[in-house]
Amino acid sequence: MASQVASPSASLHTTSSSTTLSTPALSPSSPVELSPDEVELLAKLEEQNRLLEIDSKSLRSVNGSRRNSGSSLVSSSSASSNLSHHQEEDSWLLWGRIVNEWEEAYKKKEKQIKELVRKGIPHHFRAIVWQLLCNAQDMPIKDQYCDLLKMTSPCEKLIRRDIARTYPEHDFFKEKDSLGQEVLFNVMKAYSLVDREVGYCQGSAFIVGLLLMQMPEEEAFCVFVKLMQDYRLRELFKPSMAELGLCMYQFECMIQEQLPELYVHFQAQSFHTSMYASSWFLTIFLTSFPLPIATRIFDIFMSEGLEIVFRAGLAVLQMNQTELMQLDMEGMLQHFQKVIPHQFDGGPEKLIQAAYQVKYNAKKMKKLEKEYTTIKTKELEEQVEIKRLRTENRLLKQRIETLEKESASLADRLIQGQVTRAQEAEENYLIKRELATIKQQSDETSTKLEQAHHTISELQHQRQLHKCNPRYSEEFVLQLEKELVHARLKEAESHCAMKEMQDKILEIEKRNTSLPDENNIVRLQEELIAVKLREAEAVMSLKEMKQQIKDLEEHWQRHLARTAGRWKDPPKKNTVNELQDELMNVRLREAERHAELREIRQRMMEMETQNQINSNQLRRAEQEVSSLQSKVQYLTAQNKGLQAQLSEAKRKQAEIECKNKEEVMAVRLREADSIAAVAELQQHIAELEIQKEEGKVQGQLNNSDSSQYIRELKDQIAELKHEPVTDKMPKQQEGPPRPTHF
């Protein structure tokens, strides 16, 4: 029988449709009255069975030849289609002529060939036509296939792990270490060695599996290489999946333009295009539709490329728009997984016809591609900007740490400077007190000098009065001697005090030289200019004092010269002269002391100026420290804000990733349950078909009891259709693969 050589999906589709047609029909010899429709259905059923019996031998021979070549045991559902035997023969003859004269026919009648491909390629011609469409015949890489199998691929473990998930219900692949799994592994391994950038991606195994159902593994490998290179599949399966993102963007724009209400509903429910359409593009509907329908779509894909995926996807959405508008996100996921795959069990013609009624503008798709490239470029620039900001943030953190260290160092220096300033202030206070004492002593000395001057003037007046009297009283001489002794004592005390003050000034100057210097050159220069001006004034005053002293010395020398001849006078007169000389010497020393006192005052002014300079330096240091502290506070606040934004972004990203993982797990569980339920139904239907065939062989289906037997089959199928599909068998596979890259 044909069901023995056909693929499980194709045979199930055929038998289920034939069983559905035969259930309402009754035998003409039955005592029960039949309606005209039932009689017609029964006649069609008998004609169908006769055709299957006639074609069984030829199908077995084809199957045997394909086993010997290492290909799959699958045939399409065209053997059980509703076309007549003569139409099939005409189609085969037509395709035979096209294949024999492919190059000339494809050049001259490309549009007619595309139309024939849309109507379906006969399954016996499918392998050679696919190779011709993608120009995969006589590829040089075919000779390297055996050498590639001898090599070791880094993706072997991953391929082995996913082999059992590829068509797990198909006879050619379901058994572990079977011929189908082995050739599928070989092709996937060979391609992972040829294209190491792509390596292995889980969704590509379904495409390779379909190729192996039609042709030997060497030819399947060559066709797969051509598909990856010339049909944009390589860009789809790259680790970055940039091409898949572009397809999602283009498809979403088509939905927005042609189905605006459904697009708004998807956006309101946060139902992203990739949640249902990514597997359409990655597997060309092989995981979304039954194998006969997906094979017909793949025929058109081989001829026209990814355009059929856009058209078929949009046609599916148009057919289901009303139902999807009434569902939430969870309901829409279940609708895509459970309802849509079975909408076209009657055949793919309705879907293909609707697909070519969809508006598809190649120029607009190119424009959308440019827009998507621009968007991705902006996103990349934003990522670069984020990376740059993170680098700047890291550098700012380092700079903040450096500034904190510098701030701590400046704070230590400031404290040390404040301590030094306090010590200098205390020393200055002590010096000022001593200076006040010296000033007081100087005033007292000045007063006494004035008194001495007054005494001298009195003596000179008395001398003028007593010129005629050479005798002087002894009391007057004694008084002069006492005054002279007292003046010398005062002079000695003043000299000692002055020496002590000079020592203290030297010590303060040494301390001032050890004070910390600052780099503010402009202010220091201004202060230095002011000090030099004061110093110049002091030098001028000192020169004036020295000139006065010099004049006094000259005057004294002239006085000595005038009085040189007077030493021969009487002793009393000589004593008076000595006293006058001594008084003159005292006056000279007094002038010198005045000069020294002015010099001390000048030094005191210099010390006060230096103290003012140090005070300014400390004040500037305090201002710099305060500015640095404010800058550190600002940078700290800015860093806290950036850290808060970064933590918030990480938290949102973690929430989104968690939500996506939960959604993916739920989708996979639901898909596994649905596939297990479908497998259970297929098994029951196959058992019923076997029972039907056995009953026919044993003669149970005759004119006397055929109506009763058909009623029983009808009741069993009705029970199976209403039976819950999730209660009997555990899940046998994971859902349609979510593409993962290695």
Side-chain angles (χ1 to χ4, degrees):
M1 300 297 292
S3 60
Q4 294 175 346
V5 296
S7 66
S9 57
S11 62
L12 289 175
H13 174 69
T14 303
T15 54
S16 62
S17 62
S18 63
T19 305
T20 306
L21 288 172
S22 63
T23 50
L26 294 173
S27 173
S29 63
S30 175
V32 182
E33 293 183 0
L34 299 175
S35 64
D37 294 335
E38 291 175 343
V39 173
E40 184 180 357
L41 288 174
L42 183 57
K44 288 182 180 180
L45 176 61
E46 291 176 353
E47 179 67 19
Q48 187 74 26
N49 290 334
R50 185 181 64 80
L51 292 174
L52 290 173
E53 290 175 359
I54 292 171
D55 292 340
S56 62
K57 293 183 180 180
S58 62
L59 292 174
R60 285 197 187 97
S61 63
V62 172
N63 181 35
S65 64
R66 295 186 63 197
R67 282 185 180 175
N68 294 331
S69 62
S71 62
S72 84
L73 301 174
V74 181
S75 62
S76 69
S77 61
S78 61
S80 59
S81 65
N82 293 328
L83 295 175
S84 66
H85 185 64
H86 298 291
Q87 289 175 338
E88 287 185 1
E89 288 181 354
D90 293 341
S91 177
W92 281 34
L93 290 173
L94 177 60
W95 276 104
R97 288 196 301 270
I98 291 173
V99 169
N100 291 330
E101 303 172 358
W102 175 259
E103 293 184 2
E104 183 178 357
Y106 193 75
K107 287 180 181 178
K108 294 181 179 180
K109 300 180 180 181
E110 182 180 354
K111 292 184 179 180
Q112 290 83 346
I113 291 175
K114 286 186 177 181
E115 289 295 331
L116 286 174
V117 172
R118 292 175 187 176
K119 293 178 181 179
I121 304 172
H123 69 280
H124 292 295
F125 289 97
R126 184 164 280 133
I128 185 64
V129 172
W130 281 2
Q131 294 179 55
L132 292 170
L133 284 171
C134 67
N135 197 18
Q137 289 184 321
D138 301 328
M139 289 181 65
I141 200 171
K142 186 176 181 180
D143 299 331
Q144 303 174 11
Y145 181 72
C146 294
D147 297 332
L148 291 172
L149 295 182
K150 297 176 183 178
M151 299 170 65
T152 302
S153 172
C155 304
E156 287 186 9
K157 291 183 179 180
L158 302 174
I159 298 172
R160 288 285 185 194
R161 185 193 66 186
D162 292 335
I163 286 294
R165 305 178 186 179
T166 305
Y167 301 114
E169 297 300 321
H170 200 285
D171 291 339
F172 193 47
F173 300 104
K174 69 180 180 181
E175 293 183 4
K176 187 177 181 181
D177 298 329
S178 62
L179 176 62
Q181 290 192 1
E182 190 63 27
V183 295
L184 179 59
F185 172 78
N186 291 340
V187 175
M188 298 308 301
K189 171 186 172 182
Y191 186 79
S192 68
L193 292 169
V194 171
D195 190 353
R196 294 184 180 272
E197 182 181 1
V198 174
Y200 166 70
C201 185
Q202 188 176 1
S204 60
F206 287 90
I207 298 175
V208 176
L210 180 64
L211 296 176
L212 290 171
M213 295 178 195
Q214 312 297 331
M215 62 190 75
E217 59 181 296
E218 294 88 351
E219 297 174 0
F221 172 69
C222 294
V223 172
F224 184 63
V225 171
K226 271 292 184 181
L227 291 178
M228 295 292 283
Q229 292 177 352
D230 300 340
Y231 286 74
R232 297 171 61 186
L233 292 185
R234 185 175 184 274
E235 302 298 325
L236 283 173
F237 290 117
K238 274 187 178 181
S240 62
M241 283 195 165
E243 191 71 15
L244 180 61
L246 171 61
C247 292
M248 294 297 100
Y249 179 76
Q250 291 173 331
F251 190 65
E252 189 172 350
C253 291
M254 290 179 67
I255 297 172
Q256 185 178 7
E257 180 182 358
Q258 301 185 30
L259 302 173
E261 295 180 357
L262 185 61
Y263 174 79
V264 173
H265 180 65
F266 282 169
Q267 294 296 319
Q269 295 294 328
S270 299
F271 193 60
H272 302 293
T273 309
S274 59
M275 296 174 68
Y276 61 90
S278 59
S279 62
W280 294 354
F281 288 89
L282 290 171
T283 63
I284 320 298
F285 292 104
L286 291 173
T287 58
S288 303
F289 290 137
L291 197 57
I293 300 172
T295 305
R296 285 287 303 278
I297 295 175
F298 202 84
D299 288 341
I300 304 173
F301 169 74
M302 295 292 294
S303 174
E304 303 179 17
L306 282 177
E307 178 181 343
I308 185 60
V309 183
F310 287 100
R311 289 181 176 276
L314 204 62
V316 169
L317 294 180
Q318 285 178 347
M319 294 178 183
N320 294 271
Q321 180 176 4
T322 305
E323 292 81 359
L324 292 172
M325 291 290 292
Q326 299 174 359
L327 299 174
D328 57 1
M329 184 174 68
E330 188 73 20
M332 286 188 288
L333 283 173
Q334 294 181 359
H335 189 80
F336 275 102
Q337 294 162 8
K338 297 181 179 180
V339 179
I340 291 178
H342 302 288
Q343 284 183 341
F344 308 102
D345 289 342
E349 301 300 333
K350 182 180 178 182
L351 175 60
I352 294 173
Q353 185 178 3
Y356 280 95
Q357 293 176 356
V358 172
K359 294 179 182 179
Y360 182 87
N361 190 338
K363 293 183 178 179
K364 188 166 186 180
M365 298 298 278
K366 287 289 184 182
K367 182 179 179 182
L368 292 174
E369 182 177 355
K370 292 181 180 179
E371 291 179 1
Y372 180 78
T373 304
T374 304
I375 292 171
K376 283 298 177 182
T377 303
K378 290 182 179 179
E379 290 179 357
L380 183 61
E381 291 175 353
E382 290 176 357
Q383 291 177 359
V384 172
E385 183 66 18
I386 290 172
K387 187 176 180 180
R388 186 185 66 79
L389 290 174
R390 288 177 178 172
T391 304
E392 289 183 357
N393 188 19
R394 178 173 56 80
L395 294 175
L396 285 174
K397 287 182 180 179
Q398 295 177 357
R399 188 176 179 186
I400 287 171
E401 292 176 357
T402 305
L403 289 174
E404 287 178 351
K405 292 179 181 179
E406 292 179 357
S407 176
S409 176
L410 288 173
D412 295 338
R413 289 175 60 188
L414 178 62
I415 293 171
Q416 185 178 1
Q418 289 177 349
V419 172
T420 306
R421 183 179 177 184
Q423 292 175 355
E424 290 179 354
E426 184 177 359
E427 291 176 357
N428 287 335
Y429 176 72
L430 295 175
I431 290 171
K432 286 179 180 179
R433 287 184 60 186
E434 292 177 358
L435 183 61
T437 304
I438 291 171
K439 285 181 178 180
Q440 185 177 0
Q441 292 177 358
S442 177
D443 293 337
E444 291 177 357
T445 305
S446 299
T447 304
K448 289 180 180 179
L449 284 173
E450 289 178 357
Q451 291 177 358
H453 282 301
H454 182 66
T455 304
I456 289 170
S457 61
E458 288 180 353
L459 288 172
Q460 288 177 353
H461 181 66
Q462 288 179 3
R463 181 181 177 185
Q464 291 175 358
L465 292 175
H466 298 287
K467 277 183 179 181
C468 298
N469 188 6
R471 296 179 181 178
Y472 294 96
S473 62
E474 294 181 358
E475 293 179 358
F476 181 71
V477 173
L478 291 174
Q479 184 179 0
L480 289 175
E481 289 178 352
K482 288 180 181 179
E483 289 179 356
L484 181 61
V485 170
H486 186 68
R488 286 181 176 176
L489 289 174
K490 290 289 184 181
E491 180 183 359
E493 291 177 357
S494 176
H495 184 72
C496 291
M498 188 177 296
K499 196 169 184 180
E500 290 178 359
M501 288 298 297
Q502 288 176 351
D503 294 338
K504 288 184 179 181
I505 288 170
L506 290 173
E507 185 178 358
I508 290 172
E509 286 178 351
K510 289 180 181 180
R511 290 182 182 179
N512 285 337
T513 56
S514 63
L515 289 175
D517 296 330
E518 297 294 330
N519 297 324
N520 198 339
I521 298 173
V522 177
R523 294 185 180 179
L524 290 177
Q525 288 178 349
E526 293 175 357
E527 293 170 356
L528 183 61
I529 291 170
V531 170
K532 286 183 177 180
L533 290 174
R534 293 173 186 161
E535 183 179 2
E537 293 175 358
V539 169
M540 291 296 295
S541 61
L542 184 61
K543 286 182 179 180
E544 291 175 358
M545 288 295 298
K546 287 182 179 180
Q547 185 65 33
Q548 291 178 2
I549 291 171
K550 188 176 180 180
D551 294 336
L552 286 173
E553 287 179 350
E554 290 176 356
H555 182 70
W556 173 248
Q557 292 296 331
R558 287 195 300 271
H559 175 71
L560 289 177
R562 286 195 303 270
T563 58
R566 298 178 184 177
W567 293 107
K568 296 179 180 182
D569 292 338
K572 288 186 178 180
K573 188 175 181 180
N574 290 335
T575 302
V576 171
N577 291 332
E578 289 176 0
L579 289 173
Q580 289 178 349
D581 294 338
E582 194 69 29
L583 183 60
M584 183 62 68
N585 290 330
V586 168
R587 291 177 66 185
L588 289 173
R589 286 193 293 272
E590 180 184 3
E592 292 175 355
R593 294 297 180 270
H594 273 293
E596 290 175 355
L597 184 61
R598 282 198 174 189
E599 186 176 356
I600 290 171
R601 287 178 179 174
Q602 180 62 31
R603 289 188 180 180
M604 287 300 300
M605 288 177 64
E606 292 176 358
M607 292 297 296
E608 289 176 356
T609 304
Q610 187 67 29
N611 188 20
Q612 185 66 29
I613 291 170
N614 292 332
S615 300
N616 293 335
Q617 290 175 352
L618 289 173
R619 185 173 64 256
R620 287 194 295 272
E622 290 175 355
Q623 291 176 354
E624 289 178 358
V625 170
S626 62
S627 65
L628 287 174
Q629 288 178 349
S630 62
K631 191 173 183 180
V632 168
Q633 291 176 357
Y634 172 74
L635 291 174
T636 304
Q638 187 178 8
N639 188 24
K640 287 182 179 179
L642 291 173
Q643 288 179 348
Q645 293 178 2
L646 183 60
S647 60
E648 182 66 18
K650 287 182 178 179
R651 184 184 64 78
K652 290 182 179 179
Q653 184 180 3
E655 291 177 356
I656 292 171
E657 290 178 353
C658 183
K659 186 176 179 181
N660 289 337
K661 287 180 180 179
E662 292 176 356
E663 290 176 355
V664 169
M665 290 300 296
V667 168
R668 287 184 176 179
L669 290 174
R670 289 193 295 272
E671 288 176 350
D673 293 340
S674 64
I675 291 174
V678 169
E680 182 184 10
L681 274 176
Q682 290 175 350
Q683 183 178 359
H684 279 285
I685 293 171
E687 290 174 358
L688 290 175
E689 184 64 22
I690 292 170
Q691 290 177 8
K692 172 195 168 186
E693 296 298 331
E694 290 176 354
K696 183 176 180 181
V697 172
Q698 295 172 3
Q700 293 179 0
L701 187 60
N702 51 31
N703 294 332
S704 61
D705 57 356
S706 60
S707 60
Q708 182 64 29
Y709 186 72
I710 290 171
R711 285 196 192 96
E712 291 178 358
L713 290 177
K714 182 178 179 181
D715 294 339
Q716 290 180 3
I717 291 173
E719 290 176 0
L720 288 173
K721 286 184 176 179
H722 293 88
E723 183 179 358
V725 295
T726 58
D727 299 336
K728 292 185 179 181
M729 292 180 65
K731 66 178 180 179
Q732 299 177 0
Q733 67 166 1
E734 295 186 4
R738 181 188 181 106
T740 56
H741 292 275
F742 308 99

